[in-house]
Amino acid sequence: MKILLVEDEIELAEALAELMKKSKYSVDIANDGESGLDCAMSGIYDLIILDIMLPKMNGYEILKNIRAEKLSTPVMMLTAKSETEDKIKGLDYGADDYLTKPFETGEFLARVRALLRRKGEIEEDRLEHKDIILDKNAYELCCGKKSVKLGMKEYQIMEMLIANQHNIIPKERFIEKIWGFDSEAEYNNIEVYISFLRKKLAVIGAQVKIKATRGVGYYIDKED
Ligand code: CA
């Protein structure tokens, strides 16, 4: 799950990002409204968290632009203001939730989870596909009684493959989601991790295979 956090208070942004990373979400931070909108428009995020008072462009304008482009990504607004009219304005523009600062970290994470669930994506402790189970808490890939530990990147790649089963995921999409836009990651990084995952699937005796469409990307399926 990839989350965009648009927040100009650097310390708060970093603290929230850290909190979400501990919950195994991958997080990008934008510190002003314009770069926040640019990132949001990429469409690669599962959730967007928007502060309202931001330099260059405020959170409402970002939200209006996102919804004008028919982007349905869930949006949570964050603000120091607690006035009801602001909440109504945010909800009118198409925000899915609203949290007033200061807030408890527990409540923040609970709302993040709720919004990701509402999006209809798989946000459970285990993801299953054919004969394999991806265990989110243990970071393990299991088949029958056998299991193998996954590294963070391997886990994220496997999660994307299972969540998009039968669809080819382009290599660029893995790079964007897992390494981020600014990363130096090259396409051969993804190839290396895919080869690790294939070995691990073989180790646990899984029927499921990661297949490649040459020059395009990868998808997961059971061997016919
Ligand atoms: Ca602010």
Side-chain angles (χ1 to χ4, degrees):
M1 292 287 153
K2 196 167 174 74
I3 299 174
L4 172 65
L5 173 61
V6 189
E7 168 62 74
D8 59 321
E9 289 167 52
I10 310 282
E11 277 182 27
L12 176 65
E14 282 172 2
L16 290 178
E18 204 50 46
L19 196 66
M20 289 188 280
K21 284 175 188 168
K22 277 190 189 144
S23 297
K24 294 165 193 156
Y25 300 120
S26 100
V27 183
D28 288 342
I29 300 175
N31 292 125
D32 69 69
E34 273 176 16
S35 61
L37 179 62
D38 283 347
C39 293
M41 288 304 193
S42 68
I44 64 168
Y45 296 97
D46 301 299
L47 171 66
I48 299 170
I49 302 173
L50 280 182
D51 183 30
I52 292 178
M53 302 302 283
L54 289 163
K56 297 186 185 171
M57 179 185 283
N58 72 39
Y60 294 127
E61 288 173 61
I62 298 174
L63 179 59
K64 261 202 294 192
N65 277 288
I66 293 173
R67 294 302 185 233
E69 290 299 315
K70 307 270 181 259
L71 216 66
S72 63
T73 315
V75 170
M76 175 160 71
M77 307 291 286
L78 293 184
T79 185
K81 294 180 183 175
S82 56
E83 289 89 346
T84 336
E85 60 221 70
D86 281 339
K87 290 192 185 181
I88 292 167
K89 196 171 169 186
L91 294 169
D92 274 351
Y93 286 152
D96 299 271
D97 200 2
Y98 202 106
L99 194 56
T100 307
K101 296 178 199 170
F103 44 79
E104 300 284 333
T105 54
E107 183 179 7
F108 172 76
L109 285 175
R111 288 180 184 229
V112 165
R113 282 196 299 272
L115 286 168
L116 289 169
R117 265 200 304 274
R118 207 184 298 174
K119 189 175 177 262
E121 292 216 12
I122 311 135
E123 177 59 16
E124 289 159 4
D125 289 347
R126 356 178 323 143
L127 281 178
E128 295 187 25
H129 175 67
K130 304 279 176 62
D131 62 343
I132 57 169
I133 296 168
L134 184 64
D135 185 321
K136 190 164 189 166
N137 296 317
Y139 266 45
E140 279 176 353
L141 189 61
C142 317
C143 177
K145 289 196 168 66
K146 290 186 180 170
S147 67
V148 63
K149 283 271 179 202
L150 298 183
M152 180 69 173
K153 300 259 188 289
E154 293 169 344
Y155 174 86
Q156 289 175 306
I157 292 167
M158 207 62 209
E159 186 183 40
M160 283 179 74
L161 285 166
I162 296 179
N164 297 281
Q165 46 194 270
H166 308 303
N167 293 323
I168 296 166
I169 308 175
K171 290 179 181 182
E172 307 89 75
R173 189 144 173 98
F174 285 106
I175 306 276
E176 285 169 9
K177 271 217 149 187
I178 296 169
W179 280 269
F181 283 119
D182 301 330
S183 85
E184 301 281 304
E186 302 272 341
Y187 292 146
N188 59 4
N189 285 47
I190 179 76
E191 283 159 19
V192 168
Y193 284 99
I194 291 284
S195 78
F196 291 160
L197 280 170
R198 282 176 170 152
K199 285 189 187 120
K200 291 188 175 184
L201 283 167
V203 165
I204 58 172
Q207 300 277 302
V208 167
K209 305 276 180 222
I210 299 172
K211 295 182 179 170
T213 303
R214 194 170 286 277
V216 181
Y218 298 98
Y219 65 105
I220 195 168
D221 215 341
K222 194 175 170 183
E223 195 87 280
D224 292 320

